[in-house]
């Protein structure tokens, strides 16, 4: 038993039991209770069904100078309840009847409220529904009737239920919920029709709407930032990775770190997703703080990385420093220039050959197909017209139509236009040759095919005039298949 410091000091100083009172003694059995002289015995149980209280009752009941004080509630069917109802004799535990001549009184020490106190409590809180669940059936029914009669005809609508044991009670509540706006959101009173955006917190059947910055102060909930990292297998060069990411997301900030292991380059996409390529690793690390926008950007980056090596043309054009590609002359001879770091027999300005499928073309269907590939990275529903004249983008109930020739966008949604326009602008750059992605590619000019014969005076010019060559063909002009179809020294 815990004791205060004062009692503990008294016990240690005097050695006397602090609970050993002068006029109050603790008894362990009925044999220690004296029959001579006045005394008061506090005994249990209060219902007088058994135990010390029942034994004392049978011993003292016949004598009128003795008294019984019942201090608590008595359940129906117990000896205490029958004594309260003025019985004249009691049944002994060992059999027989014992006359009840002692004085009987009832003083309530119960902690339960009575009918008047219940009514005062109901008036105070104005509860719409009251359910009586404790007490005898007759008493509860009388209290229910009193409550109904008291508030009948008043402005206070009260529903009172007194269900039997095991009986279900259905309660109906309004679906509307009210939330308190706290912190920075409460600095401005919204007008009718305004929207308030924040974090809704439910606690103890109450709702609070707060900003992320006020979450800890008003709710005790600390916000947590989830940092995600994904490793995507990748074995190609960093230049190829940078090329594809910038074609999708535009110019990206670059951070380079050099260590004993090699060089690590990091590109930052939308100022939220870091893409790191280390020269000594066979994967790309993608890191970001998780939220709706960053997760979408990270998914797009993963899709781009996974699709890089599935494009043979881009790999071929970026796999080495030298050209390493075939030059096709008008005579149909495959002229291959070895790749390497040494000098070329022609300038790099001439070396603009583009793999089929990436050069700019006037074929609307090919343009629409390429544009659709880019749009599918951002929108799940993209449709290309059968004739390739247009692309239709669907976003929920919204749609936008893009003309494949002029790249004009037709839509009634400003939001969808704002999302589609940057992608279309990136596609216009992506359709240029990979080696000239930062400079606009001019439209191809008609030129006369070159035939075998004397070499022209203007060597290396891609647009050689027809007067400089002798041709036995008709004077029909065709666009060159690449920028290096003109004759050059040493080429036959």
């Amino acid at each position: 038993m815990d004791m205060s410091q004062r009692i503990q000091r008294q016990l240690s100083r005097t050695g006397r039991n602090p609970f050993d009172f002068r006029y109050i003694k603790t008894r362990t059995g009925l044999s220690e209770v004296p029959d001579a002289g006045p005394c008061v015995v506090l005994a249990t149980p209060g219902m007088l069904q058994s135990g010390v209280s029942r034994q004392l009752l049978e011993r003292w009941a016949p004598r009128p100078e003795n008294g019984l004080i019942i201090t608590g509630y008595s359940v129906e069917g117990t000896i205490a309840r029958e004594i309260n109802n003025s019985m004249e004799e009691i049944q002994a535990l060992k059999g027989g009847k014992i006359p009840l001549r002692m004085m009987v009184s009832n003083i309530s020490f119960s902690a339960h409220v009575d009918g008047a106190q219940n009514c005062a409590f109901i008036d105070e809180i104005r509860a719409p529904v009251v359910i009586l669940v404790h007490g005898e059936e007759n008493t509860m029914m009388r209290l229910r009737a009193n409550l109904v009669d008291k508030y009948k005809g008043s402005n206070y609508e009260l529903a009172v239920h007194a269900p039997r044991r095991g009986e279900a009670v259905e309660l109906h509540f309004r679906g509307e919920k009210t939330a308190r706006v706290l912190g920075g959101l409460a600095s401005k009173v919204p007008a009718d029709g305004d929207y308030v955006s924040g974090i809704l917190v439910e606690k103890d059947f109450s709702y609070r709407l707060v900003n992320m910055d006020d979450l800890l102060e008003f709710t005790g909930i600390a916000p947590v930032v989830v940092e995600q990292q994904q490793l995507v297998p990748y074995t190609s060069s960093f230049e190829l990775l940078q090329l594809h990411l910038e074609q999708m997301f535009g110019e990206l900030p670059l951070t380079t770190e050099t260590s004993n292991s090699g060089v690590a380059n990091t590109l930052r996409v939308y100022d939220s997703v870091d893409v790191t390529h280390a020269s000594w690793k066979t994967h790309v690390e993608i890191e970001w703080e998780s939220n709706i926008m960053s997760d979408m950007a990270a998914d797009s980056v993963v899709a781009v990385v996974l699709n890089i090596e599935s494009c043979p043309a881009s790999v071929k054009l970026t796999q080495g420093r030298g050209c390493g590609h075939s030059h096709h002359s008008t005579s149909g001879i495959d002229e291959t220039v070895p790749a390497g770091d040494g000098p070329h027999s022609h300038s790099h300005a001439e070396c603009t050959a583009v793999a089929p499928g990436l050069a700019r073309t006037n074929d609307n269907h090919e343009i629409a197909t390429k544009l659709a590939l880019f749009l599918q990275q951002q929108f799940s529903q993209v449709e290309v017209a059968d004739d390739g004249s247009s692309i239709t983008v669907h976003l929920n109930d919204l749609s936008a139509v893009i003309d494949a020739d002029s790249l004009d966008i037709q839509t009634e949604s400003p939001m969808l236009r704002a999302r589609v326009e940057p992608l279309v602008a990136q596609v216009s750059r992506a359709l240029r040759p990979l080696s000239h992605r930062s400079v606009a590619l001019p439209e191809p000019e008609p030129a006369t095919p070159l035939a075998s014969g004397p070499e022209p005076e203007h060597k290396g010019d891609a647009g050689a005039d027809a007067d400089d060559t002798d041709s036995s063909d008709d004077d029909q002009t065709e666009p060159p298949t690449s920028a290096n179809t003109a004759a050059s020294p040493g080429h036959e």
Side-chain angles (χ1 to χ4, degrees), residues 240 307-319 355 358 434:
L240 182 61
N307 290 325
I308 283 179
E309 296 182 298
S310 64
C311 181
S314 60
V315 175
K316 180 179 179 181
L317 287 175
T318 57
Q319 64 185 357
L358 292 180
L434 297 179

Side-chain angles (χ1 to χ4, degrees), residues 213-416:
D213 298 336
D214 301 325
L215 188 63
L216 180 61
E217 178 181 356
F218 292 98
T219 67
I221 301 175
V224 177
V225 176
V226 179
E227 295 184 356
Q228 298 201 53
Q229 182 187 60
Q230 190 165 356
L231 305 181
V232 181
Y234 182 79
T235 57
S236 299
S237 64
F238 169 73
E239 289 74 13
L240 182 61
L241 175 66
Q242 182 181 20
L243 172 67
H244 281 264
L245 290 178
E246 290 190 345
Q247 284 181 345
M248 173 61 69
F249 303 105
E251 185 176 356
L252 302 177
L254 172 62
T255 303
T256 302
E257 295 182 1
T258 304
S259 63
N260 295 332
S261 302
V263 179
N265 296 294
T266 301
L267 296 171
R268 190 163 182 85
V269 178
Y270 291 156
D271 199 28
S272 60
V273 180
D274 291 329
V275 184
T276 303
H277 174 274
S279 59
W280 65 92
K281 296 181 180 179
T282 59
H283 60 260
V284 171
E285 295 183 8
I286 304 174
E287 297 177 309
W288 71 97
E289 291 185 359
S290 183
N291 56 59
I292 297 177
M293 297 304 298
S294 296
D295 290 347
M296 293 176 60
D299 290 342
S300 300
V301 170
V302 172
V304 171
V305 175
L306 291 176
N307 290 325
I308 283 179
E309 296 182 298
S310 64
C311 181
S314 60
V315 175
K316 180 179 179 181
L317 287 175
T318 57
Q319 64 185 357
R321 291 186 180 179
C323 299
H325 53 269
S326 298
H327 291 204
H328 299 277
S329 67
T330 56
S331 60
I333 300 176
D334 188 7
E335 305 162 359
T336 302
V337 180
D341 296 334
H344 301 70
S345 60
H346 54 279
S347 66
H348 239 292
E350 303 169 2
C351 196
T352 57
V354 181
L358 292 180
R360 175 174 292 178
T361 176
N362 291 327
D363 186 88
N364 287 342
H365 191 277
E366 188 173 357
I367 293 178
T369 302
K370 297 172 187 175
L371 178 57
L373 291 176
F374 280 87
L375 295 176
Q376 285 173 355
Q377 298 290 337
Q378 299 291 333
F379 304 95
S380 58
Q381 297 183 1
V382 178
E383 300 176 356
V384 181
D386 294 337
D387 57 355
S389 60
S390 63
I391 306 100
T392 304
V393 176
H394 299 280
L395 179 63
N396 297 330
D397 296 333
L398 307 176
S399 62
V401 179
I402 306 170
D403 186 271
D405 187 18
S406 62
L407 299 183
D408 292 336
I409 303 172
Q410 301 293 330
T411 179
E412 297 180 355
S413 171
M415 182 273 294
L416 184 57

Side-chain angles (χ1 to χ4, degrees), residues 117-127 130 147 151 156 158:
Q117 293 171 320
N118 274 325
C119 291
F121 178 72
I122 294 172
D123 288 338
E124 182 70 22
I125 65 173
R126 309 296 287 181
V130 174
L147 292 174
Y151 300 106
Y156 177 31
L158 178 64

